[in-house]
Amino acid sequence: MSAVNEVYHKSVGERFFYAFLFEVLGIGMSTALGIWLFDHSAMDMGVVTVVIAIMALLLNMSYNALFDHILRKKGLTKTTTVRTLHAIGFETTLFMMTIPFIMWYLGIGLWEAIVLDIVFILFYLPYTYIFNLVYDIVRSKLVKG
């Protein structure tokens, strides 16, 4: 089995580092995307993306730990299908958590919040897949086990 596709144990510290790096890079790119596409200030989009990132950071640590546990228990590896299901499941869960916040903070209706969040999802789905793949490749070269 390729080291990149292995399901490995991560310490709490590594899980935090992974999630923190994922969110910092995502915040920068998604804030710029939100400013460019929607009629909200840089401050508003920055706050929205940071709060969503905090929500995602907390979800990320627990979701990934559970996902890895299930993969190990079932003896599965991180195939393209598994990585795709991981990204879709995570983003769906986060979507349901963030809509009420977006509506409240930006003072917008349900439809506009859904559209804004869908744009973020369309950014984050490939970003999540690519980030996880690159992280695993780099980790397989730097960490043994």
Side-chain angles (χ1 to χ4, degrees), residues 12-90:
V12 171
E14 183 182 355
R15 287 190 185 283
F16 180 82
F17 170 76
Y18 157 89
F20 182 78
L21 182 62
F22 177 91
E23 295 306 334
V24 166
L25 294 173
I27 286 170
M29 290 185 279
S30 63
T31 297
L33 179 66
I35 292 166
W36 180 57
L37 292 177
F38 297 96
D39 190 25
H40 295 284
S41 70
M43 178 66 171
D44 282 348
M45 292 311 301
V47 168
V48 166
T49 58
V50 167
V51 170
I52 290 173
I54 291 168
M55 295 168 92
L57 177 66
L58 297 172
L59 175 63
N60 196 322
M61 292 177 73
S62 57
Y63 182 89
N64 289 337
L66 178 62
F67 197 86
D68 287 350
H69 172 76
I70 291 168
L71 291 180
R72 281 191 307 275
K73 186 174 181 178
K74 295 197 177 282
L76 300 172
T77 60
K78 294 181 178 180
T79 63
T80 299
T81 300
V82 169
R83 289 179 186 279
T84 301
L85 292 172
H86 172 270
I88 290 169
F90 180 85

Side-chain angles (χ1 to χ4, degrees), residues 4 6 21 31 72 83 86 108 121 129 142-143:
V4 172
E6 284 182 32
L21 182 62
T31 297
R72 281 191 307 275
R83 289 179 186 279
H86 172 270
I108 60 178
I121 288 169
Y129 180 88
L142 297 177
V143 177

Side-chain angles (χ1 to χ4, degrees), residues 100-117:
F101 168 73
I102 293 169
M103 289 173 59
W104 170 77
Y105 185 77
L106 295 178
I108 60 178
L110 178 61
W111 180 247
E112 188 178 349
I114 288 171
V115 170
L116 189 146
D117 215 1

